[in-house]
Amino acid sequence: MHLARFPRARFAHLPTPLEPLPRLSEALGGGAQFWIKRDDCTGLAGGGNKTRKLEFLLGEALAQGADTLVTQGAVQSNHVRQTAAAAARYGMACEIILEERVQTNAVDYNHSGNVLLDRLMGGQLRNVPAGSDMNAELEKSAEQVRARGGKPYIIPGGGSNTVGALGYVDCAIELVAQANAQGLVIDRIVTATGSAGTHAGLVAGLALVGADIPILGIGVRAPKEAQEANVHKLAVATAEVLGHGERVTREMTVANCDYVGAGYGIADEGVFEALRLAARTDAILLDPVYTGKAMKGLIDLARKGHFKGETVVFLHTGGAQGLSGYASVLEGNLA
Ligand SMILES: *Cc1c(COP(=O)(O)O)cnc(C)c1O
């Protein structure tokens, strides 16, 4: 396994800090020590987990001579914002399809937060209704780019394919090296899991370095069986690209999807509490769609004694740039 063999554009701020969360750990009863891996600080127009994936995706796009990135996501997608940023960095055009997955007419959701930033960075936005065939929409946009003489590079939703997942293989290596250097024994990693690339890359990376650190993915959309199947499949495929698919076993992929609530992008009191607690203990800014839901799960499991005696690293995957898109949802839930 040798990541340097893969084309990669270099723009992420790495390594991201690995820091303790002393006040949050105390607020959750002190039974476990929580740490945080700051992938909200990866750079690139606000950062977040998609930046690591985009280093490998851009590496491939540039190697192919592409001049336009084509991608898709929910209206307040962080992935879309980071892709628009990467396109700007390399002087490429960026064609974006936004799925109206969260049914809302709220002005802030539809125009502020990430949407505002996408437009600021020159992303060309096209909205489609919830449930649209997003792969067909990607192909349609790519065809339009070709028709005008451009060279499109399609990035799937969340940047979650084997190329993007290499970014989280790299994160796994980086995290283990940091822990080794600091003499920190990590008992568990907790992260949000959505389009699966982050979770799958971590599973593959930890398996390939033989770290034996369990990862708990907290689901934000799909039910457990579907989420685990998606993550496992991508983890194996990613490890195969690196030459060692056989090292990833099924039991390495664990997702808890009990904290999704009413659905993707819909926050509830548990999420609001997580946002408030993280902000008011260790000044960590979470988002209501991903990291807030993952933290809601972490808090509940911690209160139930699930992590007793453990050192747990929460992977902060970003998302705070979308917060203003949820101003009207958060208003009234800040007290
Ligand atoms: C995309 C995203 C995730 C989920 O990562 P996947 O690789 O899609 O599973 C988590 N947190 C934030 C803030 C995200 O934008």
Side-chain angles (χ1 to χ4, degrees), residues 49-50 53 78 160 192-198 290 317-319:
N49 59 342
K50 306 313 181 306
K53 300 180 187 183
N78 301 297
S160 286
T193 183
S195 68
T198 302
Y290 297 98
T317 45

Side-chain angles (χ1 to χ4, degrees), residues 81-299:
R81 183 237 321 148
Q82 287 160 93
T83 302
R89 275 289 297 266
Y90 289 89
M92 301 168 92
C94 191
E95 295 291 334
I96 294 160
I97 306 128
L98 296 181
E99 182 192 3
E100 294 170 347
R101 197 185 293 163
V102 179
Q103 311 278 343
T104 170
N105 292 322
V107 173
D108 49 13
Y109 184 82
N110 288 296
H111 298 279
S112 192
N114 284 309
V115 180
L116 182 74
L117 301 179
D118 298 342
R119 294 177 60 206
L120 183 61
M121 292 184 284
Q124 295 296 312
L125 307 178
R126 174 163 77 82
N127 280 40
V128 297
S132 297
D133 179 343
M134 297 309 284
N135 288 329
E137 295 293 342
L138 283 171
E139 207 29 69
K140 193 166 134 192
S141 282
E143 198 43 53
Q144 286 166 357
V145 172
R146 283 184 210 106
R148 66 173 186 241
K151 191 145 197 294
Y153 179 80
I154 294 180
I155 298 179
S160 286
N161 56 19
T162 56
V163 178
L166 291 177
Y168 274 85
V169 170
D170 190 46
C171 179
I173 296 168
E174 179 182 301
L175 177 59
V176 170
Q178 277 174 317
N180 288 346
Q182 296 181 27
L184 182 75
V185 178
I186 300 173
D187 296 305
R188 193 177 304 278
I189 297 167
V190 175
T191 184
T193 183
S195 68
T198 302
H199 192 175
L202 287 174
V203 166
L206 291 170
L208 294 184
V209 299
D212 292 331
I213 301 172
I215 309 167
L216 175 62
I218 309 245
V220 299
R221 188 177 185 187
K224 179 180 169 76
E225 293 68 34
Q227 188 65 23
E228 289 187 346
N230 281 345
V231 172
H232 176 63
K233 189 167 163 227
L234 184 54
V236 171
T238 304
E240 262 164 16
V241 165
L242 291 161
H244 296 283
E246 78 292 345
R247 293 201 203 158
V248 174
T249 59
R250 177 61 186 81
E251 63 275 10
M252 288 175 181
T253 295
V254 179
N256 180 331
C257 299
D258 294 344
Y259 300 97
V260 175
Y264 174 86
I266 303 173
D268 52 25
E269 176 45 31
V271 174
F272 298 132
E273 190 205 1
L275 262 63
R276 290 191 304 262
L277 190 65
R280 292 170 193 189
T281 51
D282 293 298
I284 299 298
L285 302 179
L286 304 176
D287 78 291
V289 183
Y290 297 98
T291 53
K293 253 173 210 177
M295 185 58 79
K296 169 190 166 187
L298 182 150
I299 291 169

